[in-house]
Structures are given as structure tokens and as C-alpha cells.
Amino acid sequence: MPFLRNGLTRSAGAVHHIFHAKSSVSHTPPNVWTRRHIHCDGRNRLTKFWTPTQPKPKASSAADHEPIDGHDLLLRAGFLRQSASGIFHLLPLGLRVQDKIEQLIAKHMARLGAAKVSLSSLSSEALWRKTGRLEGRDSEFFHVQDRKDARFILSPTHEEEITSIVANAVHSYKDLPLRLYQTTRKYRDEARPRQGLLRGREFVMKDLYTFDTTETEARSTYEAVRKAYVDFLTELRLPYLVANADSGNMGGKLSHEYHFASERGEDTIIGCTQCEHSVNEELFIAPLAKAPSPSIDEAEPTTQTAGFFFAVSKDRRKLLWATQPSQHNLEFNLHALKQLFPDMDTTFDGSDYTSIMDAWMCDAEEDGEPRTRYLLIDSRNAASLETFSNQWRRTTSLPGPNGTDVPIRSEILPSEINGQPVLLTKARPGDPCPACEAGGLILQKATEIGHTFHLGTRYSEPLNLKVLDARNQPVTVSMGCHGLGVSRLIGAIAGLLADGKGLNWPVAIAPFGAVIVSTAGVGESDVDGLYDALTHQGMDVAIDDRERPMGWKLNDADAVGYPFIVVLGKAWAAGKQSVELQCRRLGIKEEVKAADLPKRIREYSARL
């Protein structure tokens, strides 16, 4: 048998790579060698595919009642490993899932006419300062400074960079519309990384940036992108939610979030039992006209459900007291309070009320400048408003800590937005829908996996992105940005479909659509023949050819979460030309003739 370079030996039908544990010298005694054969015949074999799975921990009675942790299963099934808090390495199985998600995204981006780019992870701080997005957010970013004192950040997103590139290259309306996307690593210095891939410090995202000459055209592009996102999620065959959302620091006033419903999700989506109303809880403010019927709540009041809510401004010069009807004992809606009191410090939890009040009074006593306190009364409390108003406004000073009177201003804030009275409390299940007459509200915990933003001129204006229109007049380009969290999708789907045995993957993004497992009595040529028949039908299949017991392989296949497991066992060894087909998500375990296997897998795939 002729030897090839690097210890390769050629044999009939396969090439084997021999790993020597002690020495590669030919005279080393065979009994001190350990060998692992890696087939390099082009078939997907698990012996050449590193899958460092870990055994399932021993069950405990407490663990039986805990929700399934998708992140823990990803670690145990060998998809990833943790490097540091919020930082993860993808291993071969995880990378195959990520690659398939990226390929599926690329298909839908191509349908939009988007061209793919790859922007640097280093972004100029100077550009971010031009758009004002560094103000007050420095702690969220990883900063880098080179030897010439130039300052950069590890990009959490690329609006500034892509806008600058396009501003220097596009000058006429004839060059628009333009749609550019990338799938790349992003960085955010999360204060509390958690839930594995769902809230990491390094993550993979797909970003699409769109550029249009007019606002009308940009809105049309936005709707086309929304449809592409819906088509992408539909192809995963998983239940999803689309909700109106807050644009936050990204800018613009139109955005939508895309979620998977999950009890472990960090968002709450409010929907309706009758109409298509759907909104993130962060945007929900109930009008007075849709106030729920009064009901006594016997639950013990908390800081955010008591009759009064105390808040302070970021500069600590303004104080706010908000009140709700005492018999309701509902939770205060911080988003509504923020709308009515924009200076509110949302990080203050009310636990240090005494020291805040003392500082507020002392500072006013020292500089002699009046401090302001506000009263905000829920629109249902008309009687309270009348009782408090006169007394509140008449108070112009309060006794200071040092015995002198401290001048203050006392004002009543109207609980109105755009002239319409609103409620200061959060929605509850069954409350009247604000968008229709018959529906009641449904609240669902959810995990965000995508977000679309119509930006308008938020970035093109400060970065001077203008083109000449058909009349040869300069116009500011209207933009949009649209993100899908690729690594978030992996983490979210892992938790969404997992069960007590392991992960479950949609066929479209599974590391392999099926795995072939055989007993010791089945020949290699039989396994290879079945593999070739399935792959000839376009199926993505792997062969578990590892030297492990049959039971171990089946448990491992369950942990990894292949959509289908094909077992060549006793029926095949007995010459029946039949296999056992397993699909855990559909609860299927049946004997199937090998000739009928591709058709049966296609039929079941349509139900997954």
C-alpha cells in the first residue's frame, strides 16, 4: 500500500488519515498508537466533523419544573463554547446553522435587489460625533485608540460609515434607489450579558441600508423590506409576531420589531383578540376613552403599583409625583410617564427617596434658585385633580434642612398627549383594545430577532448625503436601516423548539436535515448507498460513523436536534430493505422502505 504525504494512506474506496498519539516514526510499536479514521470521500461523516457533545446532567426534581434552557442545550450539543462573559465561539455544528441562516437571508436580499458589502468592524468616532450618537452612550461601546491617537469604536452598527461611503460616491437621483446589506460581527459592551446568544457583547447581524431620493419612495422601500422579512420568517415555519416599535436612538418615527413568542423573552407584545393591532409594550399608552372597568385588586402594592409614583429628572432639579386611582392598583406605565415628563431618569427605582429629597432641598437652599415639583394625575382621577390642584399650586416654599424656607415651583402636568387624555398605567390582559370596539388585549412575552427602521434624513442630513433630483436641485436622501440578528436567531430558535431530549431545528437551517445511524451488522456500502440516494434528491444528510454504541448515537442525535433520524437496524440487517424513520417534533417513529424514504421525508418536512 503506497504511502502519501502527511501520513495519508490510500485504500480502495476511501482515504484514511492516521493520527499517531506517540510518534509518527514507522518503527513505533503498534500497541502504543491510537488511530481515528477520517473518511475523505466527499460524504458528510461525523468522524470528520467535530461535535464535542456533553452528557446530559443528572435530572433533579427541581430541574423537572424549570423551563428548558436553549443556551445550555447549545453548549451541551457542541454548537458553541463560551470564551468570556457575553462572548462565544461557534463550533462546526453552530457554524453550519449560522451559514444556512445567512444563505436564506441572502436569497431574500437578492429578491430586494440588494448588493452585499462587508464593512470594517472599526468605525470612526468622528463620524459618530457628527450624528450625535456618542452623547451619553460612551459606556455602551468598545473604544480603540491607535498609536497616532486616532479614536475608533468597535461598531455596534454601521449607519454612519455606510452613509459616508454613499455620500462620497452617489450624486444623482439616477443612482438611486440603492440597497446595500452586510452580515458581520457587531459589538456592544453590555452591562449584563445574559441568555447566551440573545444578549451578548459580540454578535452577528445582517444589516440592510436603503437610500431613496424622496420620502415617498423611501416609504415604499420600507414596505418592500417588511414583506421580505415576513417572507424570511415564514420560510422558517415558526410562529412570529410583528409589532409597532420605538425607534429609540436609531432615529426616525416609524419602525417595526419582529419577534418569536417566548416565556423567556425580554419584550412584551400587546395584541388584540379581534383586530391586527400589535405593539411593543414600550409604545403602548391607553386613551382615557378605553379605560378598563374599575376592579379591586387585592394584591399587595409594590413600588410601581402604589397610589403614588415618585420620579426625578436626570439633573436632579425636578421631581415628579404621579398618581393613579387607588382601587385599581395597576402598574405605572413608565413609557407614558416618560412621554409626559421627558426629563425623567428611568434608571431611578424610588429606593433612595429620602436622600433625593434632601439633596433637592439642600441644593435649592444653597443657591437660592427655585426647584420645580410636578404632579401628574391619571385621567381617571378627576376628583383627585380638583382636590390637589389648588393646594399644590399655592405652595411656593418648603422648610429647608437648615431651618430656612426653600423656594419651589409647584405645577400640575396634564395627563394628555396630543390633546387626548391618557392613562398612566400599563395594559392588562382583557383590557379594551384601543384600535377596535370588540377586541380585548393579549399580552405575550417575546424575543426580538429583527427590527426595521425608516430613518428619513436622520443620518443623511448631518453627513451631507445629497443628490441632484430631476430638476437639478439638491435634495437630502431618505434612508432606512433594517437588521436581523443572526446569532440571536440561533439562540431564540434553540430555546423555542427545544424539549427534554434536546434541540429541534427547522429543516431550512438545521445543521443537517437528517442523520443516518446504523447498527454494527450493517455494511458501510449499504449506508453509503442510502446516503447517496437521499443526497441525490437534494437532501442535506450526515452519516454517524463514529465508533459508539447505538443507544449513545441515538441520544446524541436527539440532543443535536436533527429534524430526521434514519436508523439502519434489525429490519435492514434482516434483508427487508427497510429503515426506521424518526421525527421527534412530529412524534413519528415508523418503518419505511428505503425506496420510499425520500418521498416520506419530503412529506413530513412540509409539516415542520
Side-chain angles (χ1 to χ4, degrees):
M1 183 180 294
F3 278 85
L4 306 179
R5 291 183 181 179
N6 302 323
L8 290 176
T9 60
R10 187 181 302 278
S11 64
V15 177
H16 304 282
H17 194 160
I18 302 177
F19 290 90
H20 305 282
K22 295 289 186 180
S23 170
S24 61
V25 179
S26 60
H27 62 262
T28 304
N31 64 336
V32 298
W33 291 8
T34 58
R35 305 184 179 201
R36 184 166 72 91
H37 298 286
I38 298 181
H39 293 258
C40 298
D41 58 0
R43 296 183 178 93
N44 294 320
R45 300 179 183 275
L46 295 190
T47 49
K48 71 171 186 179
F49 199 83
W50 190 43
T51 58
T53 52
Q54 299 172 342
K56 184 178 180 180
K58 292 183 179 180
S60 66
S61 57
D64 293 340
H65 302 287
E66 293 177 358
I68 294 170
D69 188 338
H71 175 65
D72 179 64
L73 291 174
L74 285 171
L75 291 170
R76 188 158 59 81
F79 283 75
L80 52 86
R81 288 293 183 268
Q82 183 164 341
S83 167
S85 177
I87 301 175
F88 300 93
H89 302 301
L90 281 186
L91 304 187
L93 285 172
L95 188 58
R96 278 189 72 90
V97 173
Q98 178 174 296
D99 287 345
K100 288 190 174 184
I101 292 174
E102 291 183 19
Q103 291 166 16
L104 191 58
I105 289 172
K107 180 178 77 173
H108 291 281
M109 292 298 100
R111 290 176 178 174
L112 280 172
K116 191 172 185 179
V117 299
S118 180
L119 304 185
S120 170
S121 293
L122 291 174
S123 184
S124 165
E125 274 196 14
L127 283 177
W128 282 68
R129 296 198 185 282
K130 281 186 179 181
T131 61
R133 282 213 295 172
L134 275 188
E135 296 175 8
R137 300 185 67 204
D138 275 9
S139 62
E140 296 181 25
F141 303 131
F142 291 100
H143 295 268
V144 179
Q145 187 168 329
D146 69 11
R147 66 186 69 191
K148 297 179 181 179
D149 294 331
R151 295 183 61 83
F152 302 89
I153 60 174
L154 292 179
S155 287
T157 184
H158 282 87
E159 283 74 22
E160 282 79 3
E161 294 290 347
I162 196 69
T163 305
S164 178
I165 292 171
V166 174
N168 289 320
V170 173
H171 306 290
S172 169
Y173 75 98
K174 295 179 181 179
D175 298 321
L176 301 179
L178 183 61
R179 297 167 182 178
L180 303 171
Y181 85 98
Q182 65 171 346
T183 303
T184 187
R185 292 183 179 273
K186 302 295 183 68
Y187 304 88
R188 185 180 296 121
D189 192 3
E190 289 282 354
R192 280 195 317 115
R194 54 200 180 276
Q195 296 194 47
L197 296 177
L198 295 182
R199 183 65 68 178
R201 302 164 75 197
E202 180 186 46
F203 48 96
V204 178
M205 277 198 71
K206 186 284 302 178
D207 290 317
L208 168 67
Y209 301 102
T210 63
F211 305 85
D212 287 276
T213 307
T214 67
E215 172 76 6
T216 301
E217 291 167 348
R219 291 294 185 108
S220 177
T221 294
Y222 183 85
E223 292 305 319
V225 175
R226 282 189 62 194
K227 182 180 184 304
Y229 272 39
V230 167
D231 291 344
F232 164 77
L233 293 172
T234 300
E235 195 160 352
L236 291 177
R237 296 178 180 173
L238 296 173
Y240 61 87
L241 305 169
V242 182
N244 292 306
D246 184 5
S247 295
N249 186 259
M250 290 297 294
K253 296 183 187 251
L254 171 64
S255 75
H256 289 83
E257 290 174 343
Y258 304 79
H259 297 82
F260 291 137
S262 169
E263 287 304 313
R264 297 172 68 89
E266 296 182 324
D267 292 301
T268 299
I269 304 303
I270 299 175
C272 176
T273 57
Q274 299 295 324
C275 71
E276 296 183 356
H277 178 74
S278 181
V279 62
N280 191 303
E281 186 181 42
E282 294 176 351
L283 274 185
F284 183 85
I285 301 177
L288 176 62
K290 290 288 186 172
S293 301
S295 61
I296 303 298
D297 192 329
E298 300 298 334
E300 189 70 23
T302 66
T303 302
Q304 294 195 3
T305 63
F308 278 95
F309 182 88
F310 175 74
V312 60
S313 63
K314 293 174 183 177
D315 64 5
R316 298 299 192 262
R317 298 176 66 90
K318 302 172 186 175
L319 303 181
L320 173 76
W321 283 265
T323 181
Q324 61 160 303
S326 58
Q327 76 273 21
H328 283 227
N329 196 26
L330 301 175
E331 188 172 355
F332 278 97
N333 184 343
L334 295 184
H335 179 72
L337 297 179
K338 178 75 174 174
Q339 288 280 306
L340 298 165
F341 186 52
D343 293 333
M344 185 173 74
D345 181 0
T346 54
T347 65
F348 175 68
D349 63 3
S351 60
D352 201 17
Y353 171 83
T354 302
S355 62
I356 288 290
M357 282 295 299
D358 288 345
W360 185 71
M361 297 288 286
C362 285
D363 291 343
E365 193 174 37
E366 288 176 7
D367 61 28
E369 294 184 10
R371 297 298 190 265
T372 307
R373 63 175 186 168
Y374 297 94
L375 180 66
L376 182 57
I377 299 179
D378 189 288
S379 294
R380 289 165 288 190
N381 261 8
S384 298
L385 179 61
E386 186 176 345
T387 302
F388 281 116
S389 293
N390 293 333
Q391 179 182 353
W392 191 265
R393 287 197 177 99
R394 280 200 303 265
T395 304
T396 58
S397 64
L398 292 172
N402 297 321
T404 59
D405 286 345
V406 176
I408 64 167
R409 297 190 184 97
S410 299
E411 297 185 13
I412 304 288
L413 285 178
S415 55
E416 296 179 355
I417 295 178
N418 298 324
Q420 298 297 317
V422 297
L423 310 182
L424 304 184
T425 52
K426 286 186 176 182
R428 283 187 172 184
D431 283 357
C433 173
C436 72
E437 293 303 320
L441 295 182
I442 304 171
L443 277 64
Q444 290 181 281
K445 299 295 290 183
T447 298
E448 181 187 350
I449 45 88
H451 206 142
T452 52
F453 299 88
H454 171 65
L455 300 174
T457 60
R458 167 67 179 86
Y459 299 91
S460 52
E461 187 73 46
L463 297 177
N464 198 33
L465 172 52
K466 299 178 184 292
V467 295
L468 296 177
D469 65 12
R471 296 173 298 173
N472 213 34
Q473 297 297 313
V475 294
T476 304
V477 170
S478 190
M479 292 175 53
C481 72
H482 317 277
L484 275 172
V486 176
S487 48
R488 280 183 71 86
L489 276 162
I490 296 173
I493 293 172
L496 188 68
L497 295 181
D499 60 22
K501 290 189 174 182
L503 299 164
N504 275 303
W505 295 103
V507 174
I509 64 168
F512 296 99
V515 63
I516 299 175
V517 182
S518 61
T519 58
V522 176
E524 184 176 311
S525 61
D526 291 342
V527 175
D528 290 352
L530 186 61
Y531 173 95
D532 292 343
L534 292 174
T535 54
H536 183 71
Q537 297 290 325
M539 298 180 184
D540 186 24
V541 186
I543 299 171
D544 190 347
D545 57 339
R546 296 171 293 180
E547 295 182 3
R548 293 279 193 164
M550 185 68 164
W552 185 95
K553 289 184 180 181
L554 291 175
N555 288 334
D556 191 69
D558 280 337
V560 170
Y562 305 103
F564 297 98
I565 301 174
V566 179
V567 182
L568 278 74
K570 294 179 180 178
W572 187 276
K576 295 172 62 177
Q577 293 293 301
S578 295
V579 302
E580 182 179 89
L581 178 62
Q582 299 181 13
C583 177
R584 199 163 85 249
R585 281 181 65 192
L586 296 178
I588 289 169
K589 187 182 289 188
E590 65 178 14
E591 188 175 302
V592 179
K593 287 289 185 184
D596 297 332
L597 185 60
K599 178 183 176 183
R600 194 63 57 89
I601 289 178
R602 282 196 299 270
E603 290 173 351
Y604 289 143
S605 294
R607 293 168 52 188
L608 289 176

